[in-house]
Amino acid sequence: IQTENNMIKGYYAYKNGKWGCIDSFGNTVIPFKYEALDKFDEMGRARVIYNGKFGIVDCGGRVIIPPAYDYIYPFGVLKVTVAQVGSKYGAVNLSGDIAIPFEYDYIYSFNNSKTTIAYKNKIFSIINTDGKTVSNKTYKYIEEFKNGIALAYADGYGYVDHNGNEIIDCIYSDVKQGTALSVFLKNNEKWALFSSQGENLTGFIYDDAGEFENGLSAVSRTIDGKKMFGYVNDSGDQIIPYIYSTAQKFKYGKAIVSIENNYGIIDIEGNIVIPFEYTGFNTSYDYNVIAAANKDSKWGLISFTNKKLTEFKYDYIFEFEGGYAAVLL
């Protein structure tokens, strides 16, 4: 057990099948009676398990929260933490008193925020450390908060903040989460990219949108009656133009794309890495090689310099795993 300047404060110890703590002189500080002893936080508190129940002790051996709970989250900077009794969730404070009654079907950890998400009677709401709802609106679904906002569903998908404000109105028919800065939302048949502050960055112009990888997402638009693909960044800027018939997400800075029925591979700047002379690729290229199909629908293995590593004689090459790939001949 170390202080912030790495001075030894004591030792975790295990004896006769139980955990406890001793000081630097070998004296018992926390008795050897716990089935588990968590790491101490910056305030010198740690979770313990005693007779199958969770509690919290300090590094001096004082029991802060008696082991009476089926689960308990660690305390953060707040004086309240979520706990579980049977199938119900509530919260307790540092004095061991009940801060939020154990009447919820689930409560997310506060994670040092003064509000969290609670679930009861098939309804989600945002509550504070006193158990009071911070918004008059209830939701059918809310995910855990990330970067201060959470995906929510009421009449549709949208985003809420810790205070219950709808940063993006919960009215959209579908969602594809992007990065910490942006998210795709669908209105009727079209997709738009929104910022995490709720600004519609692009308008509803996309027929489809994919996951962000390597900072880019494959998006499609109908141009001259054809569905064409390009790539945008998480600010909505068009980085690679709409010139592809299909486009997959980037992986290791490379993406499989096609023009008509010819497949090739590009980098994140749109440069051609492997020319458009193949009829298909296997998307597994963790070993810096890729299986490709030629015009005769035969498969072979190539490098990312387009060097042929095998004959094109296989009916299919499966994904690599552990350095090997099954082939069909």
Side-chain angles (χ1 to χ4, degrees), residues 28-188:
T28 299
V29 177
I30 295 178
F32 293 89
K33 65 178 185 178
Y34 297 109
E35 292 104 75
L37 174 61
D38 207 354
K39 182 179 179 180
F40 285 95
D41 63 20
E42 294 178 355
M43 303 301 293
R45 302 172 301 217
R47 294 181 299 178
V48 293
I49 299 178
Y50 178 71
N51 288 336
K53 299 293 184 180
F54 282 77
I56 294 179
V57 299
D58 66 17
C59 54
R62 182 174 69 93
V63 176
I64 300 174
I65 305 294
Y69 300 96
D70 293 302
Y71 189 78
I72 193 168
Y73 285 97
F75 277 98
V77 298
L78 302 176
K79 296 181 180 180
V80 172
T81 192
V82 175
Q84 178 186 3
V85 175
S87 62
K88 295 298 181 180
Y89 287 77
V92 294
N93 60 28
L94 280 171
S95 301
D97 301 322
I98 295 175
I100 298 175
F102 286 81
E103 58 186 32
Y104 290 93
D105 298 313
Y106 192 75
I107 303 178
Y108 292 86
S109 169
F110 278 100
N111 286 329
N112 296 332
S113 171
K114 293 182 180 180
T115 59
T116 190
I117 299 159
Y119 175 67
K120 181 171 65 173
N121 299 329
K122 300 182 179 180
I123 294 295
F124 286 81
S125 57
I126 301 172
I127 62 172
N128 61 20
T129 54
D130 295 324
K132 296 179 180 178
T133 58
V134 299
S135 172
N136 294 326
K137 190 170 182 177
T138 56
Y139 296 87
K140 298 174 184 177
Y141 176 73
I142 308 179
E143 281 191 357
E144 193 168 6
F145 283 107
K146 294 178 182 178
N147 302 306
I149 59 174
L151 175 66
Y153 185 88
D155 300 320
Y157 291 99
Y159 278 80
V160 296
D161 66 12
H162 279 284
N163 296 318
N165 302 313
E166 289 194 0
I167 302 303
I168 300 176
D169 292 337
C170 294
I171 59 174
Y172 297 102
S173 59
D174 203 355
V175 61
K176 288 185 179 179
Q177 296 193 57
T179 67
L181 300 176
S182 62
V183 62
F184 284 107
L185 289 161
K186 189 177 185 181
N187 183 15
N188 298 322

Side-chain angles (χ1 to χ4, degrees), residues 307-328:
K307 180 181 178 181
K308 289 11 177 222
L309 303 177
T310 68
E311 295 181 47
F312 278 77
K313 64 178 183 179
Y314 301 104
D315 297 303
Y316 191 67
I317 299 178
F318 295 87
E319 292 188 357
F320 277 91
E321 187 174 342
Y324 294 89
V327 295
L328 182 64

